[in-house]
Amino acid sequence: MSRVYNFSAGPAVLPEEVLKSAAEEMLDYKGTGMSVMEMSHRSKAFEEIITGAEQDLRDLMGIPDQYKVLFLQGGASQQFAMIPMNLMKNRVADYIITGQWAKKAAQEAAKYGKVNKIASSEDKVFSYIPDCSDLPISEDADYVYICENNTIYGTKYKQLPNTKGKTLVADVSSCFLSEPVDVTKYGIIYGGVQKNIGPAGVVIAIIREDLIREDVLPGTPTMLTYKTHADAKSLYNTPPAYGIYICGKVFQWLKGMGGLEEMKKRNEKKAKLLYDFLDQSRLFKGTVVKEDRSLMNVPFVTGNEELDAMFVKESKAAGFENLKGHRTVGGMRASIYNAMPYEGVEALVAFMKKFEEENL
């Protein structure tokens, strides 16, 4: 069977090169006589895999030395609790609500202290990013939290909020490594890898060293303390070893493609193709205000639920997988992560044109 064009929001499409390379090494990783799935996380072979992966990520993102890179488990959702447990010294935090995941993060943080929702775009179904140039930042806030790219709603911060000197914490799960980033603007920048980097089961947290402390909230489990993992170089317990190995391969693939500057160009070109079609289409329309559109997740609708369902069904039959929108918003969504080739978006647009002609 040939490969489909997989527009899933995550777990999502991975580079074919990476999958083929992993397949070749499945039974025997570099002469060890075993698969990475079978090897000890304390072995020399795995130590090389995890240190190599970290170094490649540092190179790609230009991560300064005073930031630790942690490979963790529990996905972004576990970070919703870990962040307040480790950072909420004053038991106060400011959250900007731009979608489902920021909302869930705020609800979780409220278990540990006072959460101030200092801006929100819920009034228009999260179809835009609020103005964050002059926010009512709380004087005693331990940090300001954002979800930088909103997978469900297809919005992206084009400018980071003015936190007025407070630590910025950002969930970048669905825009991780899609464009260059200035890590120094964040206290913590983290994300689940299953959208743009690797298989589900790994979360990468890049944390400024001064935020990794022993004086966490009372009752914080050992496993949910950043210091535990930082001190043990992500090997406190058995890490998601195979997932980290695939992430490392993706980092190498990205380097080979020309790094994050090149990925940004490619992603802009793909997104432009799809958005340009949506902007002139007589049947389909995008749901996000132009200036806040994501390069990674593109939601769209016909305005007719029956037609939407028909489109999802027919597109699947034509080899386009996972175009159904998130259950909370309906419609359709094309996630066009780094590994989605330009030809995939071209083929989708051609299919949408044909569908439009047949259904107008």
Side-chain angles (χ1 to χ4, degrees):
M1 182 190 166
S2 64
R3 302 257 302 157
V4 296
Y5 285 123
N6 179 9
F7 291 93
S8 172
V13 59
L14 284 167
E16 262 183 52
E17 240 175 83
V18 166
L19 297 175
K20 282 174 180 163
S21 168
E24 281 165 19
E25 293 172 344
M26 179 55 84
L27 295 176
D28 176 13
Y29 176 74
K30 295 193 172 173
T32 57
M34 63 179 113
S35 170
V36 175
M37 277 191 196
E38 305 167 294
M39 66 176 53
S40 164
H41 62 295
R42 305 282 177 212
S43 66
K44 190 173 184 319
F46 187 71
E47 190 192 338
E48 283 172 10
I49 287 170
I50 194 167
T51 54
E54 179 181 332
Q55 191 53 56
D56 285 336
L57 181 62
R58 283 184 177 277
D59 295 346
L60 280 165
M61 292 180 76
I63 300 171
D65 291 345
Q66 73 270 29
Y67 283 76
K68 294 273 191 221
V69 174
L70 305 181
F71 294 95
L72 305 169
Q73 300 180 65
S77 295
Q78 187 160 285
Q79 293 305 305
F80 298 169
M82 254 178 118
I83 287 157
M85 282 175 165
N86 284 266
L87 264 56
M88 254 194 188
K89 303 287 164 267
N90 301 327
R91 304 253 184 177
V92 179
D94 289 352
Y95 278 65
I96 300 169
I97 311 298
T98 51
Q100 208 76 347
W101 301 113
K103 208 172 170 179
K104 285 188 174 178
Q107 283 165 352
E108 193 68 17
K111 294 176 180 177
Y112 305 99
K114 183 169 187 267
V115 167
N116 300 307
K117 295 175 184 175
I118 56 169
S120 170
S121 53
E122 194 161 10
D123 61 332
K124 293 185 181 164
V125 204
F126 301 122
S127 59
Y128 70 102
I129 297 287
D131 177 5
C132 297
S133 57
D134 187 17
L135 296 164
I137 305 281
S138 316
E139 264 182 53
D140 52 353
D142 291 301
Y143 59 90
V144 177
Y145 183 100
I146 63 168
C147 180
E148 198 165 315
N149 186 88
N150 296 284
T151 324
I152 295 174
Y153 301 95
T155 57
K156 163 82 164 70
Y157 285 80
K158 299 295 162 74
Q159 246 183 328
L160 293 175
N162 173 8
T163 63
K164 301 179 183 175
K166 297 289 181 188
T167 296
L168 178 65
V169 175
D171 173 356
V172 295
S173 295
S174 53
C175 60
F176 224 155
L177 300 183
S178 61
E179 58 186 330
V181 59
D182 180 357
V183 175
T184 63
K185 289 184 174 167
Y186 307 83
I188 299 181
I189 179 171
Y190 80 92
V193 304
Q194 72 279 7
K195 298 170 183 297
N196 219 12
I197 302 173
V202 185
V203 65
I204 297 171
I206 300 159
I207 309 178
R208 208 174 59 225
E209 277 177 351
D210 63 288
L211 300 173
I212 300 172
R213 298 183 292 237
E214 272 169 20
D215 59 331
V216 295
L217 293 191
T220 298
T222 306
M223 276 293 286
L224 296 187
T225 303
Y226 288 131
K227 195 171 189 318
T228 301
H229 300 284
D231 289 352
K233 297 185 172 165
S234 301
L235 294 167
Y236 174 73
N237 68 327
T238 311
Y242 196 79
I244 293 167
Y245 155 74
I246 298 288
C247 291
K249 283 198 174 297
V250 171
F251 301 153
Q252 286 168 2
W253 175 78
L254 284 166
K255 277 180 144 181
M257 296 291 270
L260 302 190
E261 287 284 356
E262 178 58 29
M263 288 323 293
K264 186 184 186 197
K265 278 185 210 151
R266 286 168 182 256
N267 289 328
E268 283 174 342
K269 190 180 170 200
K270 282 187 296 192
K272 184 179 184 327
L273 181 65
L274 186 46
Y275 284 125
D276 282 355
F277 169 70
L278 288 171
D279 288 343
Q280 59 82 48
S281 170
R282 288 173 302 145
L283 179 63
F284 298 100
K285 68 172 196 303
T287 56
V288 173
V289 302
K290 276 188 185 183
E291 58 272 23
D292 298 329
R293 284 169 166 176
S294 165
L295 291 179
M296 297 283 98
N297 311 100
V298 184
F300 56 96
V301 293
T302 63
N304 176 320
E305 282 183 23
E306 282 169 27
L307 261 187
D308 285 355
M310 189 169 134
F311 176 83
V312 170
K313 192 179 169 193
E314 288 187 13
S315 63
K316 187 178 169 64
F320 302 98
E321 283 287 339
N322 298 306
L323 281 166
K324 191 175 184 193
H326 191 270
R327 62 188 179 277
T328 56
V329 290
M332 286 75 68
R333 170 181 52 177
S335 292
I336 49 177
Y337 298 123
N338 285 344
M340 172 58 66
Y342 185 75
E343 301 75 54
V345 183
E346 261 182 332
L348 174 62
V349 168
F351 177 80
M352 289 169 77
K353 280 180 179 162
K354 182 170 166 284
F355 185 89
E356 177 174 278
E357 282 159 21
E358 290 166 0
N359 293 282
L360 262 184

